[in-house]
Amino acid sequence: MKRNVISFIGFFVGLFVFLALTFGVVTYAVPDQFAESYQRALVYQYDYYKTLEQNKIVFIGNSCLSFGFDLDLMEERTGRPCAILGNHAGLGLTYLINMSKSNLKQGDIVVIEYNDFDGIGSELLLTGIGNRLDMYRFISPHHWDDVAKSYGTYFTKKLSYNTTGGYHAEGSYSASAYDKRGNMSTYRKECTIPYPFTDEVAKKYNWATFSTDDYNMNMINVLNKYVAYCKSIGVKVYFTRNCYLDESIKSTEEEIVASDRALAKLLDAPLISNSLDYIYGREYMYNGIQHCNTLGAQKRTEQLYKDLCKYVDFGAN
């Protein structure tokens, strides 16, 4: 009996050592091949966020925020240091809000660009954070299994790129599109979405619809728990909406307003933005129905600042 117990324990100790060694080899022994990837901007964002002290504003969102936000302009308008966390919807809001907790201080403000995705794009995350072991701690326990299952694919890709000259990315979908704060700084001129916006075009770019009954309650609960946490440490939370290309909208104005009202009732913090204020013509959009060009990013940032001013007194700024 004693021998069986020892064998049982030995098996699991051996398994743990094997998994730890495998993790070490995948993470460190094979050189990182994704330094140029678009998602690597998440590392820039986190490193910059860690340097900020009290009285900051952190904006959390997906690629819509990344393409549609001017960090310098927001800092100029508010007179406060600002940071961005997130550049892809596939990362999931849960990971990003866990990351935000690492440097929240009393008096800070969090603005969340709402989206429904409560999962995690494991491969996207792994290639994004690369060898940064300190960033694995933001993965929620209920996502560990998903991430572990993606390690084989991640390792295979690392080995493949290691033998074929590495992974290369350029343009707006690369790390070089961002400055070291994780703010998209590459100039984005004109809309590249085909005109007119037809059903055929929508096969690639999608139609946008607004509803009052399609909100993910799992995500709502996660966000409301986060709001409660922030309140407990003296941090204010506000929610904003995504921007859209006007031609892609299928819903009526009444449906859009009703959708905003329905979401506002579900959230435990103010929804400060009206979706109608974030629907833009193609002169402000770039390569996706939620992606602004540089001019659109300035327009969206100004509108978001106006929305914030309804709830926050920025003084002479």
Side-chain angles (χ1 to χ4, degrees):
M1 179 66 179
K2 183 178 181 180
R3 182 178 298 175
N4 290 339
V5 172
I6 293 174
S7 297
F8 181 77
I9 294 174
F11 170 78
F12 280 100
V13 169
L15 179 62
F16 176 80
V17 171
F18 171 76
L19 292 175
L21 287 173
T22 301
F23 178 82
V25 169
V26 174
T27 306
Y28 294 107
V30 180
D32 180 24
Q33 297 297 317
F34 302 100
E36 296 181 17
S37 68
Y38 170 81
Q39 55 269 30
R40 185 52 55 91
L42 185 65
V43 173
Y44 301 169
Q45 293 171 345
Y46 174 57
D47 285 344
Y48 178 66
Y49 176 61
K50 289 191 301 181
T51 69
L52 300 183
E53 299 297 332
Q54 202 168 13
N55 205 39
K56 61 185 170 291
I57 309 176
V58 55
F59 295 84
I60 301 175
N62 54 32
S63 60
C64 178
L65 178 66
S66 196
F67 276 83
F69 190 78
D70 186 320
L71 186 64
D72 292 318
L73 180 58
M74 184 60 80
E75 289 190 333
E76 178 185 335
R77 292 288 184 265
T78 62
R80 295 194 186 189
C82 298
I84 306 170
L85 295 180
N87 72 338
H88 197 295
L91 294 169
L93 278 179
T94 305
Y95 181 84
L96 300 175
I97 63 177
N98 288 344
M99 182 185 291
S100 74
K101 291 178 181 179
S102 66
N103 192 35
L104 286 178
K105 296 176 172 63
Q106 184 177 6
D108 288 350
I109 294 173
V110 177
V111 180
I112 300 175
E113 179 186 74
Y114 178 81
N115 77 69
D116 266 339
F117 182 56
D118 62 345
I120 190 167
S122 302
E123 190 176 326
L124 186 73
L125 178 66
L126 291 171
T127 55
I129 63 179
N131 297 347
R132 289 293 298 271
L133 190 61
D134 58 323
M135 296 179 70
Y136 281 79
R137 61 193 171 109
F138 304 128
I139 301 171
S140 294
H142 60 281
H143 289 149
W144 288 348
D145 185 53
D146 292 332
V147 175
K149 289 177 181 177
S150 296
Y151 242 82
T153 303
Y154 172 55
F155 186 39
T156 301
K157 285 191 174 183
K158 284 188 75 174
L159 286 175
S160 175
Y161 285 123
N162 193 52
T163 57
T164 58
Y167 173 85
H168 298 290
E170 59 184 16
S172 59
Y173 288 114
S174 68
S176 63
Y178 293 84
D179 62 26
K180 290 303 180 181
R181 302 169 299 173
N183 178 59
M184 185 172 281
S185 55
T186 188
Y187 184 71
R188 307 175 303 286
K189 186 177 180 181
E190 58 189 21
C191 186
T192 61
I193 301 173
Y195 179 84
F197 197 92
T198 62
D199 285 332
E200 189 64 28
V201 174
K203 289 180 181 178
K204 177 179 180 180
Y205 294 94
N206 301 315
W207 291 107
T209 58
F210 292 75
S211 175
T212 59
D213 57 3
D214 62 351
Y215 292 112
N216 182 341
M217 291 310 300
N218 288 332
M219 192 70 250
I220 294 292
N221 291 333
V222 168
L223 291 172
N224 284 340
K225 287 180 181 178
Y226 176 72
V227 170
Y229 166 80
C230 288
K231 287 180 179 179
S232 73
I233 62 172
V235 173
K236 293 182 179 179
V237 180
Y238 302 102
F239 289 92
T240 186
R241 290 295 244 167
N242 294 359
C243 47
Y244 287 95
L245 172 67
D246 56 3
E247 301 161 31
S248 71
I249 302 294
K250 278 281 193 179
S251 302
T252 65
E253 287 192 8
E254 290 76 13
E255 289 171 333
I256 295 171
V257 171
S259 179
D260 284 352
R261 288 175 178 168
L263 177 60
K265 290 180 180 179
L266 296 173
L267 297 170
D268 290 342
L271 176 63
I272 64 174
S273 302
N274 299 314
S275 290
L276 290 176
D277 293 329
Y278 292 83
I279 297 175
Y280 301 148
R282 62 175 46 238
E283 67 269 26
Y284 296 109
M285 304 303 288
Y286 187 49
N287 61 356
I289 65 168
Q290 297 185 57
H291 290 178
C292 291
N293 59 22
T294 299
L295 184 63
Q298 295 169 354
K299 180 179 177 65
R300 195 274 182 95
T301 303
E302 292 282 16
Q303 182 60 53
L304 186 50
Y305 169 66
K306 291 178 182 177
D307 292 342
L308 270 172
C309 285
K310 300 172 187 175
Y311 293 85
V312 182
D313 182 5
F314 293 110
N317 295 299

